[in-house]
Amino acid sequence: MSKLLLASIHDVGPRSEAAVDQLCDILGSHLGALNFAMLVVPDHWGEAPLASNPAFQAKLRGWADQGVEMFVHGWFHKDLAEHTGMAAIKAKHMTASEGEFLGLSRDEAARRMADGRKLIEDIIGRESAGFIAPAWLYGAGAQEALAQSGFKLAEDHMKVWRPDTGEILARGPVVTWASRSVGRQRSSRFFAGLARHALGFLPKARVAVHPGDVTVPALISSIHATYAAFARGRRIARYADLLDSAHTAHGPARGAAA
């Protein structure tokens, strides 16, 4: 089986439109056409509602028509919960108040998932690819809601899985960048450089970019180098291909026609 490359643009919405356009050009130059996923935020920080922006809705539909997979990426993306224990450590060190689904109850997480799904699917005129929590962070309530949500795919830092069964479809750290401080820029560039050599063995590699990346020329250079490296010798894949591969590996369901 050939090795795969899965690519994605996070935090897509009216607030990040210019940066997303730039990232589309960057990824397209390495992947060919629009062979990547977008993670769409319905109302980023409560300041950029998709529902009242028909021009951006039209762009989303156009991208989807050209083959971009659309994931529901939270609702606000902003984390307003008070955290204790390990969740507090994650909220402080892994994200800057961006882990919206880290502290939500099951019912609130389920409501935001369902509302985001309906909005985005109505806009693009087709089923969404799945759900990915902001900052890849899921609390217990979000995990419980996700298992009952009907989404076909979910993703965190270390894996892609089927929410309904828990089956893991891809393993290994996602390669991504952080732009919010010089220290994080340097560390993410270091990890990307290491990953280009050390993670070549992964059968399914994931590389994700964020709108803030385009504000730092050194990150743009690292992104170009990383996509170029991972694209060599790999098939540019869709997340949906993971479901197809799992079905092929397991064979037809028991009792199904061969």
Side-chain angles (χ1 to χ4, degrees):
M1 182 178 66
S2 63
K3 292 181 179 180
L4 305 180
L5 172 59
L6 300 164
S8 59
I9 300 175
H10 284 227
D11 305 347
V12 173
R15 185 180 183 184
S16 60
E17 183 172 3
V20 170
D21 287 341
Q22 188 173 346
L23 290 170
C24 284
D25 291 340
I26 292 172
L27 269 61
S29 70
H30 295 285
L31 308 178
L34 301 182
N35 294 318
F36 47 81
M38 288 184 174
L39 280 57
V40 184
V41 184
D43 187 4
H44 203 156
W45 282 60
E47 299 170 353
L50 276 175
S52 59
N53 194 316
F56 197 81
Q57 290 179 24
K59 290 189 76 166
L60 283 180
R61 282 195 300 273
W63 282 323
D65 288 344
Q66 294 177 75
V68 175
E69 292 179 291
M70 297 290 177
F71 282 85
V72 180
H73 193 41
W75 183 268
F76 295 117
H77 207 291
K78 189 173 186 177
D79 180 11
L80 299 175
E82 295 291 331
H83 300 288
T84 60
M86 184 57 68
I89 295 173
K90 289 181 178 180
K92 180 178 180 180
H93 295 288
M94 295 181 68
T95 183
S97 298
E98 298 280 357
E100 177 187 3
F101 279 71
L102 185 58
L104 296 182
S105 68
R106 180 195 63 184
D107 290 347
E108 181 60 20
R111 183 185 69 80
R112 295 191 195 186
M113 288 177 189
D115 289 350
R117 182 176 192 172
K118 184 179 188 310
L119 174 65
I120 291 168
E121 291 184 352
D122 284 349
I123 289 171
I124 63 176
R126 68 199 73 209
E127 187 176 11
S128 58
F131 178 85
I132 300 175
W136 290 290
L137 293 175
Y138 304 79
Q143 291 279 10
E144 190 174 351
L146 185 58
Q148 303 297 320
S149 66
F151 283 111
K152 290 183 177 180
L153 289 169
E155 179 185 72
D156 64 18
H157 278 97
M158 294 301 297
K159 65 184 180 298
V160 181
W161 76 96
R162 288 183 53 175
D164 58 342
T165 66
E167 178 185 6
I168 297 176
L169 304 175
R171 296 180 185 271
V174 62
V175 182
T176 191
W177 291 263
S179 61
R180 70 177 185 266
S181 71
V182 172
R184 289 180 182 273
Q185 292 167 21
R186 289 173 176 166
S187 63
S188 61
R189 285 168 54 206
F190 173 80
F191 178 74
L194 181 66
R196 293 196 290 269
H197 302 285
L199 298 183
F201 71 93
L202 287 175
K204 299 159 185 172
R206 295 177 291 143
V207 182
V209 293
H210 292 77
D213 297 342
V214 304
T215 65
V216 183
L219 294 188
I220 295 176
S221 296
S222 179
I223 288 168
H224 275 295
T226 302
Y227 275 111
F230 276 100
R232 286 194 293 269
R234 291 180 181 270
R235 179 168 68 84
I236 311 304
R238 295 165 54 83
Y239 277 80
D241 294 338
L242 301 178
L243 292 168
D244 295 337
S245 297
H247 177 76
T248 300
H250 297 317
R254 189 176 302 172

